[in-house]
Structures are given as C-alpha cells and as structure tokens.
Amino acid sequence: MKEVKDDVALVLCGEAGQGIQTVEALLIRAFSATGYHIFSSKEYMSRVRGGENSTLIRVSSGPVRAFVDRIDVLFALSPGAVDHLRERINGTLIIADESFGEEDAVGLPILEEAEKLGGRIFANVVAAGAAARLFRVEESVFDDAVRALFERKGPEILDADLRAGRKGYELGEELKEHLKVSVEPDPSVRKHVILNGTEAVGLGCIAGGCRFMSSYPMTPSSPLQIFIAENADEFDMVFEQAEDEIAAINMCLGASYAGARSLVATSGSGFALMEEAVGLAGMIETPVVIYIGQRPGPAVGLPTRTAQEDLNLALYSGPGEFARAIFAPGKLEDAPEIAAHAFNLADRYQIPVFILSDQYLADLYYNLPEPEISVEPEYHIIETDASYRRFRFTEDGISPRGIPGYGSGLVRVDSDEHDEDGFITEDLDVRRRMVEKRNLRLQMLRDDALPPEVWGDDSSAVICWGSTYWPVREAIESSDAEVTMVHFSQVYPLAPDTRELLESFDVTAVVENNYRGQFADLLKLEAGFEVDHRLNRYNGMPFSVEEIRKFIGEVFA
Amino acid sequence: MKPEDYDLDVDVAWCPGCGNFSILRALKMALAELDIPPERLVLVSGIGQAGKLPQYLKCNYFNGLHGRSLPAAVAIKAVNPELTVIDVSGDGCMYGEGGNHFIHNIRRNPDITNIVHNNMVYGLTKGQASPTSQPGFRTPVQVHGVFEEPFNPLAVAISLGATFVARAFAGDIERTRDILVEAIRHHGYALVDIFQPCVTFNRVNTFQWFRENTYYTDHDTSDRTLAFEKSLEGYGSGKFPLGVIYRADGGATFEENLSIYSDDKTPLWKRRHDPGKLKTLLESKMML
Ligand SMILES: Cc1ncc(C[n+]2csc(CCOP(=O)(O)OP(=O)(O)O)c2C)c(N)n1
Ligand code: SF4
C-alpha cells in the first residue's frame, strides 16, 4: 500500500471532450470546502475532441501555489493518458479504467459504470467522485460541488451527475486498500476564495474602473474577455466582440477618447495586429490597457501552451518613440491591485499600459485569503473651457485631458504630428517638442515604478518576472541552497534603484519561459546589469518546482 | 447656426479646385441647418486627403489611423450617445484598408453618419488606383491599367442591411447638403458616398465626366430590391444614380442594443461603479 501525505500531487488525464475541466472544477471546490489548500493547473492540446489533456491538482495541508512535475496519483481516463505523462511517472499510483489493460495500474470500471449511468460523458464525474472519496471528502460536500456546477443544467442532468458521483464514491472505497492519503484540513481555508489568474486580473480591471472592452477571441486571453462580458451588466461595462484585433484596439481608443476607461485582451499574434494603434495611443496621448495572454509563438505557435515570449513585442510595439508601462503580475495575491493600478497609470500619464499574463497564470487556480484591492480609480478628466488645448505644453509633459461634450472646449486629436490644439503640423520645432513631451513622462513612470519583491536576504539571487513567481519561490523554499528571490511585477520601466539592488548580490540568475532571455537582456539595457546565469524553458510547458530547484542546486550550491 | 460658425482660420492643404472644398462647404451648411453645436459634434476620420477634413471645421475630432476610423467612431458613440458622430474618409481608407470595418459596422448599425469622398484614386499617396477606380485607369503602379472590378459600396451596404444609403456629387453643393442633412438625421447607420473629383491625380473622372455620367434618381427609395438594382447602375453601362438610393426605418441602433442603456440613459463615461458590488463578486468566489 502506498502512502502519501501533506502535499499530494493528483493528476487526472483524459481526452478533450471528456470533461477534464469539469473534474478540475468539481474537485477544487470539494477539496477547498473540505479545508484543503489546493493548487491546480491544466495543460491541453489545441483540439476540441481527442488528444490528451491533464489537470494537476495539488492537495495539501499548507499553502501550495506552483506547478510540480511529480505525480503521486494519476487517474487515467483515456487509453493514451499514461503514455502522455510517461516522463512524469515515477512511483506514481496509477488508477486507470479497466478496459485499457494498463499493467501497472489499479483498474476501475469507470467507463463501464458511466455507460450504465447513461453514457461515457459521466466518466468524468465518476472519476471525480472516486478521487474525492480517496481524499476523504464528505459525500455531502461533493454533492454540493456537483450541484454548484450542474444545477443550471436542469434537474435531470443534475440528478444523473449526482448518481455518477455516488457511483464514484463506491469505486473510491475500493481504492483505499491501495493508497493511504493523509492531508490535514485547515479550518482557515474555509474563509479563502478560489481564484484563477484570469479572474484575479479581471477583478482588478473592474476595480480600476474599466468601462469598455472590445476584443477578438484568442487563447489564452479569451477567458478574460468572458470574465468581463459576464460581469458587464452588473458593473456598467460594455463588451464588444470586434471584427478583428485592429478594430478592437481602435474601438478602445475611441472609447477612451470619449471618456471611458478601456481594456483590450489578446495574445501574441493578435497583438501583432494592434501595433499601429499602440503608436496611435502614444501619439494622441490616450490611455488604454492592453492585456496580453502570452503563448508560444512565432505566429500561431502552440495555441494552448504557455510562454513569456512577448515582452519584447510589447516593449517595442508601435512606430516611433513614446512612453509606456508594462506589468507582469506573478501571483493572485496582488494581480487585482496591479491591474487596477495599470488603469490608473494609463489615465494619469495618458499612455498605453500592458498587463502581460500567460496561459499558465491565466488558467491556474489556488485558494487564498481574499485579496485586498485598496487601489481606487483616480479620475483625471477635466471639464474644458473655450480656451482648451488638448496637447498644451506643460512642465511635466502631461496636458490636462478633456473629452468631447464635457465643457465648452473642443477636443482634437490627430495621428499626424500636431500642435498644441491637435492640428496637423509639419513645424519641425513643434515636432521636436512633442517628441519630448511624449517621452518626458517616462522619468515619472520610472520614479513611480513598482519595486521588485525581494524575498529572502541571501547573497545570491534568482531573478524572475510574471508567472514564475511561485515556482521560483517554492523551489528556493524547498532547496538547501541559500538564495534570495527577486521578482519583478513591473518589467518596464524598471524601478530606479534596480541596478544597485542587483549589484548587491554575488551571483545572479534569471529564470524565464523563453529562449532568448528577454528580461535578462532588458536588465542589461535598462539597468546596465548583466546576470551570471540564465535558465530558459521554451517547450510550451511552465517551469516546475523541481526543474528550478535542480538549477538552483547546480548554480548556487 | 450658420455655416460660418464652423469656420476655422487654418491653412488648408488641399489642391486648388479639388472637390473636397465643396464637400466641406456642403457639410458646414448641413450642420448649420441641423443646428449642431461644435462642442457636441465629433468628426472621426482616417488618413488621406479626405481624412483631413475635420481639421478644417470647428468641432471635436479624432483623426485616427488609415482605414480605422469606424471602430473609433462606433465606440465614441457608444460611450456618449449624446454626441453627433460623423465619420469622414476617402475611398481607399474606407473601402480598401478599412473594408472589414466597413462591412461589420453596417451590421452593427451605430447611429453615425459615414461620409466617403469617392475620387476613384489615392490622393495623398499621389495617384495609385483605389478600390473604386474604373477599369482601364492607368497609374504609375497600375501600369497596364486597372483590370479589377470596382468596389460597389452602395450595393454592399444595401445587401448588408444599411437603412440609409445615398450617393452625392461634390459638384452640386446644394443637393449634397440636402442629402447630408437627411443622412445625419437618419436614426442608425447612414452611408453617403460622394463623387469627388481629384483634379490632380484623376484626369479621367473629372467634374465634367461626373456630370455626364450621373443623374438624379427619383425611384421609390423604400423598395429595397429596386434600390439594389439602382445601386448596380453605372457599373459597366449606364449612368450612376445620385440621391438617396435606399431608405428604411433605422431600427434599433448599436448603442440602443447595449444593455447598459436599456433602463438608464446616462452616458457610459459618467458612470462610476459601486465598490460594494466588487466585494460581493469577490465573496462569491468563497467556498462557504
Ligand atoms: C497603414 C497605412 N498604410 C498606408 C498609408 C499611406 N496612405 C496614406 S493616405 C493613403 C490613401 C488615401 O486614399 P483615399 O482614402 O482614397 O484618400 P484621398 O487621399 O484620395 O482623399 C495611403 C495608402 C498609411 N497612412 N497607413
Ligand atoms: S490630391 Fe486630389 S484629392 Fe487630394 S487635394 Fe489634391 S485634388 Fe484633392
């Protein structure tokens, strides 16, 4: 009999169309309600049916926040599942459907029972029930999770799924002789919220006063589009699905010009289409928040996988030179505040502001104490009078922003070079001053930049940005090496004393999900700091705790 | 208001004799007749000679990107339906670079007026063919002459359900003004394609040519099938009809379909959300 305790890595794997996401949703609900700390992360292929998809659920006595390679228990719901995860199977208890004839597995008649209940579509709930039983979830708690998920589908479907869950519980009973699971519930978890990365950012967008969103579907940014659309009525927002990305961002700029805080969400190649309009935002000094859910490129790349490859794209997008800011939240704890802050910053400096997420962050869930969102929307729009000049030269380069229809002034914006009134000009002196105006605020942005989070006080540092926060932190926590983590959630411009901070370490390494080391290069360019080591991963999967721990062992031991 | 109320003392960058001047004049006359104060008016345009028009008229304006004026215009109207929003573009800008937006904004039916200066050539980039150039038209890059079918904006608009579709001629300021007045008054998306002679780069489709190749139609403009037939005239044979080609009840506009306005007409930009609701949303993510 195998025994697992405290922090168990459970993986469920099946084909697209088998409802692995339903299993994930059911189990994270049931586990949290039981009082377990959970973390989940999914990987899936870009297809609607077939292929192999899996979800990792960590069930733990203490907080867990990061992806691990390790699999303690695997539920294989499709014949190809074990093969798909072969590299991660090591001392794993495999539970597979009997019909697959998997030699090293404990066989369960999951599909057979599902057929009896009315069809293979019930296999996911049967498996979820068995897993819940194995982890000692009260049957009534599991039933509640089933209700929460299926109630809206009508009494018949709900009833069938409740029965499927109970069948799962019976099967789970048999598993007890193969595995002993000891995870201690923590009563404080009951007061936690469960969020995924998309929701964490979305809550921040609402808190930041987002009023208008137009976008074009593209994984992994579509979930944020759905989040805003489904909350639009409640929060007085407009969501419009544009005909393409170019329309989406130009709509946002129109909306912003008219006075509504606006948001556009896309992924790399969708964003590539928006670049000209990023320049327009710079030229007409009109705020817009651009969310990029990164995935591997170039072009369409691996549509459903993860990467941190679009930092340079965001950084250099748009013709000409103008100020911008780029954020990359790393954890659900502060993603809402960062997103809300992004809206304020866009408004304060009248610039495009980016939020870089990625498939890993967008799709992961964990339970956490309700995040504080103390950022309130700051509004900077003024009522104009007849003497109003949209691009008036000021000391700090920021002209008071009027909008059409509010006051007696006229608001003229032009994508051509323009004078203080917004009229086209080819006066080269005005041109020079306008360039300075548009770039001047970069210094203020720098002074305002969120400092990196420094965790630990050792003489060496692992530097990271965006979604690698928890994998790096857990790797350090669980390794013997003495290393500090320096995490950047604002990646451009960098806080003013970044160089001094980084120079205070003896040895440094940057960990990032790309081939080139875009952030390591940016540190050199912006902070004049050259890192000693780089760890890059670019196969489409997120970093695992184990991989980073191994690297730390090699570099910092 | 008087047309002069929209005058500005600025340097106009159009060639002397260009048809754009007459369109500017007709637009000012129409706005005066409709009594639209400059502060309530937003002109949205793309890039090109036509796209410069907002610079020459007292109003709010958003001179955006080549071909991308409609997405901005529709959003401006959605955020503040109290504004009068008019999109002014050239044929290359609207039908070429902006073709996709042209199609989809007809489907959206925002309450905006879409004026297209149709000179059958690219003016600002010095004389290349545009989507509406006539077959045989020679240019420095269409060295053997245009052989593509010209784009037919009226037929496209009618087929996609536009409820106000008209064609005007810059050589006739009075009639152009009347058409513009009706278009701006129209509740819903209104397209006015205006034949505009480019005296510099289009030596074929001159004032004289347009006069000889157009006529004012007086068909039953509420008959969609007939309107569609009219929209096909001039392509290949016959003369191009001028005037309102199709007109129907505008129906619900894009803004009216937005749920935020279903029982509260406050423009979106004035609204502030309630932090209490955010708290409720966050708490709904709790497991209890
Ligand atoms: C994305 C982009 N591509 C190309 C151009 C160059 N450009 C400027 S105006 C223009 C054509 C304008 O033609 P039209 O819309 O017919 O206007 P006209 O000048 O004839 O009034 C082009 C191609 C541009 N500004 N932006
Ligand atoms: S180039 Fe043609 S369209 Fe442009 S201003 Fe001159 S005449 Fe008018």
Side-chain angles (χ1 to χ4, degrees):
Chain A
M1 179 152 102
K2 183 178 160 89
E3 196 176 340
V4 285
K5 56 179 191 212
D6 291 342
D7 172 15
V8 185
L10 165 70
V11 170
L12 298 108
C13 183
E15 290 172 5
Q18 270 194 316
I20 289 293
Q21 298 211 17
T22 305
V23 178
E24 182 187 31
L26 276 175
L27 287 179
I28 62 177
R29 247 193 126 83
F31 289 150
S32 302
T34 304
Y36 297 143
H37 293 265
I38 56 106
F39 163 89
S40 81
S41 165
K42 52 178 143 298
E43 55 91 20
Y44 53 106
M45 290 180 170
S46 181
R47 47 192 292 182
V48 175
R49 296 260 163 220
E52 298 297 335
N53 298 342
S54 73
T55 177
L56 159 75
I57 306 178
R58 290 178 71 181
V59 192
S60 172
S61 314
V64 270
R65 306 271 187 263
F67 177 77
V68 288
D69 275 329
R70 188 182 92 233
I71 302 178
D72 296 317
V73 183
L74 167 65
F75 272 77
L77 301 184
S78 57
V82 174
D83 239 18
H84 177 63
L85 296 166
R86 183 71 66 196
E87 282 180 17
R88 291 168 60 192
I89 292 174
N90 184 0
T92 304
L93 173 74
I94 303 172
I95 299 153
D97 191 83
E98 259 168 12
S99 65
F100 305 158
E102 198 67 58
E103 271 180 28
D104 310 320
V106 176
L108 282 189
I110 299 173
L111 292 174
E112 194 187 317
E113 293 296 344
E115 297 277 11
K116 282 192 217 154
L117 285 159
R120 284 181 168 231
I121 49 160
F122 293 106
N124 57 356
V125 180
V126 175
R133 174 69 197 87
L134 200 53
F135 283 80
R136 301 200 311 267
V137 173
E138 295 274 350
E139 199 160 356
S140 64
V141 169
F142 186 76
D143 283 354
D144 284 346
V146 173
R147 266 186 214 104
L149 226 71
F150 294 105
E151 199 119 62
R152 62 192 165 82
K153 297 205 169 170
E156 259 167 60
I157 294 186
L158 173 63
D159 228 50
D161 280 304
L162 284 169
R163 267 183 285 130
R166 283 187 201 123
K167 182 48 76 184
Y169 263 70
E170 279 171 33
L171 299 182
E173 210 43 58
E174 296 169 25
L175 290 174
K176 279 176 20 193
E177 60 186 87
H178 299 279
L179 185 75
K180 180 160 184 272
V181 177
S182 340
V183 181
E184 280 309 306
D186 169 357
S188 73
V189 166
R190 291 161 172 281
K191 291 212 178 73
H192 285 189
V193 292
I194 302 185
L195 294 178
N196 64 19
T198 297
E199 291 169 326
V201 171
L203 287 161
C205 293
I206 295 176
C210 175
R211 289 268 86 81
F212 186 95
M213 180 182 200
S214 54
S215 287
Y216 192 79
M218 189 170 183
T219 306
S221 73
S222 303
L224 185 64
Q225 302 179 25
I226 295 166
F227 180 85
I228 297 293
E230 66 188 14
N231 287 295
D233 285 356
E234 188 69 10
F235 290 94
D236 279 7
M237 300 184 288
V238 167
F239 175 85
E240 173 64 0
Q241 180 174 318
E243 55 272 30
D244 55 33
E245 285 81 359
I246 298 173
I249 187 166
N250 279 282
M251 274 189 196
C252 283
L253 291 175
S256 184
Y257 163 80
R261 292 193 162 194
S262 56
L263 166 68
V264 63
T266 185
S267 181
S269 52
F271 178 67
L273 289 173
M274 297 184 181
E275 289 207 43
E276 188 192 18
V278 176
L280 178 61
M283 189 54 139
I284 63 177
E285 303 183 31
T286 295
V288 61
V289 174
I290 302 162
Y291 171 90
I292 305 180
Q294 297 171 99
R295 67 189 218 189
V300 187
L302 287 171
T304 61
R305 303 291 174 183
T306 202
Q308 293 182 299
E309 293 178 6
D310 294 328
L311 171 58
N312 284 345
L313 180 66
L315 184 63
Y316 297 110
S317 56
E321 300 166 314
F322 52 94
R324 71 189 72 198
I326 308 176
F327 293 95
K331 55 187 194 295
L332 309 188
E333 287 80 347
D334 55 17
E337 287 234 338
I338 290 172
H341 176 64
F343 278 85
N344 279 343
L345 216 62
D347 253 46
R348 195 184 310 153
Y349 296 114
Q350 305 175 18
I351 52 165
V353 173
F354 296 85
I355 299 173
L356 293 184
S357 178
D358 50 45
Q359 182 269 327
Y360 172 63
L361 183 72
D363 289 347
L364 64 75
Y365 281 91
Y366 55 81
N367 41 18
L368 69 157
E370 192 178 307
E372 273 288 310
I373 313 181
S374 60
V375 177
E376 296 268 332
E378 321 165 347
Y379 291 98
H380 298 279
I381 290 168
I382 57 143
E383 185 172 351
T384 60
D385 61 26
S387 68
Y388 181 70
R389 316 182 84 184
R390 175 65 188 88
F391 301 105
R392 189 162 63 78
F393 288 122
T394 58
E395 208 158 301
D396 58 7
I398 299 167
S399 321
R401 179 164 153 246
I403 58 171
Y406 181 42
S408 54
L410 296 175
V411 184
R412 304 179 172 104
V413 301
D414 200 290
S415 58
D416 278 276
E417 192 56 274
H418 44 251
D419 63 15
E420 290 178 88
D421 284 306
F423 290 116
I424 293 181
T425 183
E426 297 196 45
D427 179 320
L428 302 186
D429 188 51
V430 173
R431 156 70 186 176
R432 178 183 56 75
R433 295 182 65 195
M434 283 292 170
V435 172
E436 287 163 6
K437 177 184 198 300
R438 290 188 287 266
N439 287 285
L440 206 55
R441 59 201 76 179
L442 201 53
Q443 193 48 51
M444 284 176 285
L445 278 166
R446 212 164 255 143
D447 295 339
D448 266 7
L450 301 182
E453 181 180 334
V454 180
W455 183 80
D457 57 359
D458 301 289
S459 59
S460 300
V462 174
I463 301 162
C464 57
W465 63 282
S467 65
T468 49
Y469 181 98
W470 284 116
V472 168
R473 190 164 144 178
E474 188 176 331
I476 294 175
E477 276 175 299
S478 61
S479 85
D480 302 330
E482 291 183 348
V483 194
T484 293
M485 176 181 75
V486 181
H487 176 271
F488 288 82
S489 55
Q490 176 161 356
V491 291
Y492 183 83
L494 294 172
D497 39 14
T498 300
R499 182 181 183 150
E500 288 75 64
L501 170 73
L502 298 181
E503 280 179 347
S504 71
F505 297 102
D506 298 337
V507 186
T508 55
V510 174
V511 170
E512 51 187 321
N513 255 134
N514 57 40
Y515 176 82
R516 291 265 177 103
Q518 295 183 15
F519 188 65
D521 288 347
L522 184 63
L523 284 176
K524 192 167 163 194
L525 198 69
E526 283 287 307
F529 182 80
E530 182 110 39
V531 291
D532 303 312
H533 303 277
R534 299 177 182 208
L535 177 63
N536 301 84
R537 165 178 271 277
Y538 37 86
N539 70 344
M541 285 295 281
F543 279 107
S544 67
V545 171
E546 293 93 334
E547 181 181 8
I548 300 172
R549 188 165 55 218
K550 181 163 164 275
F551 172 75
I552 289 173
E554 284 160 13
V555 170
F556 298 100
Chain B
M1 309 252 329
K2 301 186 296 297
E4 296 69 43
D5 294 337
Y6 301 94
D7 284 353
L8 278 178
D9 183 20
V10 286
D11 172 33
V12 177
W14 290 327
C15 313
C18 171
N20 283 335
F21 288 101
S22 315
I23 299 176
L24 176 62
R25 176 88 194 129
L27 182 59
K28 286 180 181 174
M29 286 160 64
L31 292 167
E33 191 164 327
L34 292 164
D35 233 6
I36 298 169
E39 317 83 66
R40 241 202 52 213
L41 174 65
V42 182
L43 258 52
V44 186
S45 69
I47 298 297
Q49 300 287 49
K52 288 181 185 163
L53 184 141
Q55 304 262 336
Y56 309 141
L57 195 153
K58 196 179 277 175
C59 63
N60 297 287
Y61 64 69
F62 184 104
N63 256 180
L65 299 172
H66 190 44
R68 315 303 173 195
S69 54
L70 277 175
V74 74
I76 292 166
K77 185 71 182 176
V79 168
N80 191 351
E82 291 169 0
L83 300 168
T84 298
V85 178
I86 300 176
D87 186 298
V88 191
S89 299
D91 47 355
C93 192
M94 184 55 56
Y95 307 140
E97 191 92 356
N100 200 26
H101 313 309
F102 177 67
I103 289 172
H104 293 285
N105 281 291
I106 295 171
R107 295 177 49 232
R108 279 194 182 95
N109 191 34
D111 187 13
I112 65 175
T113 310
N114 189 9
I115 301 173
V116 185
H117 299 211
N118 185 353
N119 56 13
M120 304 178 175
V121 72
Y122 281 11
L124 193 58
T125 47
K126 305 196 174 176
Q128 302 82 1
S130 95
T132 56
S133 294
Q134 302 290 294
F137 186 65
R138 279 174 191 266
T139 83
V141 286
Q142 282 77 26
V143 290
H144 303 297
V146 167
F147 51 79
E148 292 95 339
E149 279 297 313
F151 182 74
N152 184 334
L154 307 186
V156 169
I158 294 169
S159 73
L160 289 174
T163 50
F164 188 98
V165 178
R167 177 172 274 144
F169 168 46
D172 186 346
I173 296 184
E174 302 292 321
R175 298 290 283 268
T176 299
R177 175 204 55 199
D178 295 346
I179 293 168
L180 287 173
V181 166
E182 288 185 51
I184 297 168
R185 253 195 208 131
H186 180 70
H187 178 77
Y189 173 86
L191 172 67
V192 186
D193 182 80
I194 307 181
F195 282 150
Q196 171 244 320
C198 168
V199 296
T200 307
F201 295 111
N202 189 336
R203 301 297 171 87
V204 179
N205 309 104
T206 59
F207 276 98
Q208 184 64 22
W209 186 92
F210 281 118
R211 266 189 208 103
E212 285 165 6
N213 287 281
T214 58
Y215 75 101
Y216 282 98
T217 168
D218 65 350
H219 65 282
D220 174 5
T221 56
S222 67
D223 183 334
R224 190 161 176 228
T225 311
L226 185 58
F228 191 74
E229 272 175 34
K230 283 277 158 197
S231 74
L232 302 178
E233 286 180 14
Y235 293 86
S237 65
K239 295 180 176 186
F240 292 96
L242 297 174
V244 177
I245 305 294
Y246 180 60
R247 179 184 0 221
D249 181 73
T253 64
F254 177 71
E255 314 78 70
E256 287 166 348
N257 280 318
L258 294 174
S259 56
I260 48 157
Y261 294 126
S262 54
D263 43 36
D264 178 358
K265 303 292 176 220
T266 313
L268 185 60
W269 72 270
K270 285 189 182 158
R271 307 208 192 175
R272 303 283 181 264
H273 73 250
D274 165 6
K277 283 188 178 174
L278 188 67
K279 187 87 186 144
T280 311
L281 176 60
L282 199 48
E283 276 160 11
S284 74
K285 305 290 174 189
M286 237 149 88
M287 281 301 97
L288 290 180

